């Protein structure tokens, strides 16, 4: 049985919050632990508490000068501490010389993985996918014990990160000769409506086990309809442990991947030894082109694309951080309805399911990596692991998603404290070089909120796409001195509002607070560092060299209840155009009226019932995509 088997480890898990060092051992009694299915987020069950991860510090990015008590910054949910997961693994008795791998799509965080009592690997970053070869540790035909210890530190995040094995876990068994995880890299150096060239590199591992016999490699390209449109066969002989197969395919009249036009091809590679199939691996990809032009910005398939983007955190509101495909699909569909044509996975690496859905739904993605580098934003964040782990983490991100057509750029960071320093500029350059080395096809950006600092340090000048967070009034200054000839609003607005809540008088305000811990749904309130949607519309519409924007945020998320830093209870952001339950706020229709060109918008606010405002003037706002609208009240225009 040479073919690979892949099993998703969903059921049969036991879980506890009690940290017992013996929990990794084989005969350990976990019968009292709770039964859970994975993906699982232990913290979303609550209870909410003022004491959960209470942070006493100054948020530099928000302009805070002195340390203060932050309640609910990470959602007021109990994600801090240790969690253990255990289950048994069935390994076939006829395993022979086959290889066994464990893959975790994300484990929050500092994962230590044990098989039959022995530690097989460690991976600190909670947002990354990682895999271990556990062949030396398993016993064929016997019951094997898998144990995972996770630990989230206090003050390790600026938002609700979730907790536990919140993404999927897989057990894969392959023949000794196999295509390793993310072993295929597909590029389309030519991608036109008339013809395309598909360049494929595939790594083949374990060649030495063939004892000098030749290996037959058969490759096929399948069209979006599933028809074979190209194929190639070759025989290779190699005594080295790993061999790189490089093939190319010419395609006539390909179906290009584009926004709302998710044409996906498949590449299938089959390895055989004298007619016996050893391994088969399938990679989904798309054919499309990306180009950057000075003065003009971003081009997808030769067409100028102005980003009408949204930043999204990874949590799914009341469902927590546990991966849920239906909820993600709903998020993407809601954003599409608003007119969004790109999503930024802020400030973390996305779940593979989210990227696959964007591939399938035709939604471009900026895949982000880190919220901090070596300098901390919170005392126990990724800064503690950055120096030792950033290259491995970035490489995994890129290898996992470099064949996904929806991913159109990489982001190496967000508002890092290193921005104004020359060392920081060098570090940005180095991170960008890692991206270029592992994937020469996509541009790299960085979300920078210190425009004057990054112009001075050189950080902005080194990037493929200089990304500016907020301060649109400095776009002109930056554009004048930057060599690229364009810039991106990598994060914009931070307008705050609550669905169905209206405050009087209706005036523009910064950091306004109210006794009910809400913000006005009239969309006239923003943060100290930010602005209103129309401030960005003006810049984006008028400047051909401004590449578009990614608003903060498309949907509300758990944590960062700005401006209610210290006021309890407050555990959700107010930034979303859509609320925590996935229901549009009024602001959704403001963006929809400006961005959605395929379906008209006509929306009126506020509501009609104001018993306490009799005899007072209540402003009425209308958001519409029509050239004009007429308002009637009680039959009068």
């Amino acid at each position: 049985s040479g073919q690979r088997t892949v099993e998703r480890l969903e059921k049969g898990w036991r879980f506890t919050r009690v940290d017992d060092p013996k929990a990794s051992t084989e005969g350990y009694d976990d019968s009292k632990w709770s039964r859970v299915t994975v993906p699982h987020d232990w913290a979303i069950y609550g209870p909410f508490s003022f004491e959960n991860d209470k942070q006493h510090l100054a948020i530099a990015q928000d302009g805070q000068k002195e340390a203060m008590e932050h309640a609910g910054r990470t959602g007021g949910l109990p994600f801090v501490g240790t969690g253990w997961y255990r289950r048994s693994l069935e390994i076939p008795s006829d395993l022979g010389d086959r290889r066994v791998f464990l893959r975790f799509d994300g484990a929050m965080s500092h994962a230590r993985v044990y098989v039959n009592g022995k530690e097989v690997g460690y991976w600190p970053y909670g947002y990354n996918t990682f895999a271990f070869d556990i062949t030396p540790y398993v016993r064929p035909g016997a019951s094997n014990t898998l144990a995972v210890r996770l630990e989230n530190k206090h003050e390790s995040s600026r938002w609700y990160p979730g907790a536990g094995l919140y993404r999927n876990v897989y057990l894969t068994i392959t023949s000794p000769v196999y295509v390793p995880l993310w072993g295929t890299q597909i590029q389309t150096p030519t991608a036109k409506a008339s013809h395309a060239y598909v360049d494929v590199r595939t790594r083949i591992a374990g060649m030495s086990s063939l004892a000098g016999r030749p290996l037959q490699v058969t490759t096929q390209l399948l069209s979006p309809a599933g028809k074979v449109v190209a194929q190639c066969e070759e025989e290779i002989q190699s005594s080295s442990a790993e061999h790189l197969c490089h093939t190319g395919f010419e395609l006539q009249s390909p179906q290009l991947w584009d926004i709302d036009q998710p044409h996906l091809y498949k590449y299938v590679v089959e390895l055989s030894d004298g007619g016996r199939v050893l391994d088969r691996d399938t990679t989904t990809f798309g054919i499309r082109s990306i180009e950057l032009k000075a003065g003009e910005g971003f081009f997808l398939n030769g067409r100028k694309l102005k980003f009408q983007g949204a930043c999204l955190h990874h949590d799914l509101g009341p469902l927590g951080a546990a991966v849920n495909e239906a909820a993600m699909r709903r998020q993407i569909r809601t954003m599409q309805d608003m007119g969004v044509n790109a999503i930024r996975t802020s400030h973390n690496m996305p779940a593979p399911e989210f990227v696959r859905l964007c591939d399938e739904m035709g939604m471009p993605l900026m895949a982000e990596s880190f919220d901090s580098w070596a300098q901390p934003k919170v005392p126990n964040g990724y800064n503690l692991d950055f120096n030792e782990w950033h290259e491995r983490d970035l490489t995994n991100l890129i290898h996992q998603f470099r064949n996904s057509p929806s991913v159109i750029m990489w982001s190496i960071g967000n508002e890092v404290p290193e921005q104004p320093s020359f060392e920081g500029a060098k570090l940005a350059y180095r991170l960008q070089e890692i991206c270029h080395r592992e994937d020469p096809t996509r541009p790299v950006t960085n979300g920078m909120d210190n425009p004057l600092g990054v112009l001075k340090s050189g950080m902005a000048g080194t990037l493929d796409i200089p990304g500016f967070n907020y301060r649109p009034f400095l776009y002109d200054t930056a554009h004048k001195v930057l060599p690229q000839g364009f810039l991106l609003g990598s994060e914009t607005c931070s307008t705050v509002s609550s669905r169905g809540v209206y405050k009087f008088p209706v005036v523009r305000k910064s950091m306004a607070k109210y006794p009910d811990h809400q913000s006005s749904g009239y969309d006239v309130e923003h943060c100290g560092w930010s602005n209103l949607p129309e401030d960005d519309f003006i810049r984006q519409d008028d400047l051909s060299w401004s590449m578009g924007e990614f608003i903060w945020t498309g949907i509300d998320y758990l944590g960062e209840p700005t401006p209610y830093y210290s006021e309890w209870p407050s555990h959700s952001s107010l930034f979303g155009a859509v609320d925590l339950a996935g229901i549009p706020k009024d602001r959704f229709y403001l963006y929809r009226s400006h961005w959605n060109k395929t379906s008209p918008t006509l929306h009126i606010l506020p509501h009609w019932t104001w018993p306490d405002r009799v005899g007072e003037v209540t402003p009425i706002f209308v958001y519409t995509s029509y050239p004009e609208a007429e308002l009637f009240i009680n039959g009068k225009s």
Side-chain angles (χ1 to χ4, degrees), residues 64-316:
Q64 294 174 9
K65 298 280 185 271
E66 284 164 34
M68 58 190 266
E69 205 73 87
H70 287 270
R73 190 184 191 196
T74 49
L77 287 159
F79 77 94
V80 172
T82 307
W84 278 92
Y85 292 83
R86 281 171 60 93
R87 61 159 283 160
S88 63
L89 293 177
E90 300 309 313
I91 305 295
S93 51
D94 62 348
L95 184 71
D97 55 2
R98 286 186 288 164
R99 312 296 305 172
V100 186
F101 301 93
L102 267 179
R103 182 175 107 230
F104 294 81
D105 281 346
M108 194 66 71
S109 61
H110 298 93
R112 292 196 183 274
V113 180
Y114 304 86
V115 172
N116 295 330
K118 296 195 172 63
E119 185 171 330
V120 299
Y122 167 66
W123 203 277
Y125 195 31
Y127 292 105
N128 209 342
T129 299
F130 56 92
F132 301 126
D133 182 341
I134 60 167
T135 315
Y137 304 91
V138 298
R139 291 192 298 266
S143 183
N144 293 261
T145 305
L146 167 61
V148 184
R149 181 186 186 272
L150 300 172
E151 182 179 9
N152 292 330
K153 296 174 181 155
H154 176 55
E155 294 191 322
S156 61
S157 180
R158 302 190 298 126
W159 57 81
Y160 175 68
L165 293 177
Y166 73 109
R167 290 180 184 168
N168 281 303
V169 183
Y170 296 91
L171 178 73
T172 303
I173 299 178
T174 70
S175 86
V177 183
Y178 62 98
V179 176
L181 179 64
W182 314 322
T184 292
Q185 179 177 14
I186 301 174
Q187 299 179 14
T188 55
T190 307
K192 298 180 171 154
S194 56
H195 65 285
Y197 184 74
V198 181
D199 177 276
V200 187
R201 289 173 174 83
T202 299
R203 287 164 45 217
I204 299 170
M207 290 290 291
S208 45
S209 68
L210 286 169
R213 288 194 307 281
L215 181 74
Q216 287 81 45
V217 181
T218 312
T219 55
Q220 290 185 330
L221 289 191
L222 305 181
S223 71
K227 292 194 170 64
V228 178
V229 287
Q231 56 188 0
C232 169
E233 284 184 45
E234 61 175 317
E235 203 167 68
I236 54 173
Q237 254 175 317
S238 170
S239 55
S240 61
E242 196 166 280
H243 180 82
L244 186 71
C245 267
H246 191 179
T247 40
F249 303 92
E250 290 275 1
L251 288 185
Q252 298 307 310
S253 308
Q255 293 174 271
L256 301 181
W257 186 94
D258 209 325
I259 295 172
D260 298 331
Q261 187 180 296
H263 296 305
L264 295 172
Y265 285 77
K266 281 189 167 65
Y267 163 81
V268 184
V269 57
E270 196 170 84
L271 312 179
S272 324
D273 172 16
R276 188 170 67 95
V277 174
L278 301 179
D279 192 22
R280 181 189 283 121
D281 187 43
T282 302
T283 304
T284 303
F285 71 101
I287 299 172
R288 53 118 182 91
S289 72
I290 286 175
E291 209 183 342
L292 304 178
K293 291 184 191 170
E296 287 294 310
F298 194 98
F299 286 73
L300 179 65
N301 294 331
R303 187 183 80 254
K304 177 165 168 153
L305 178 60
K306 183 84 99 162
F307 291 115
Q308 300 173 170
C311 300
L312 290 186
H313 261 310
H314 75 301
D315 77 68
L316 299 165

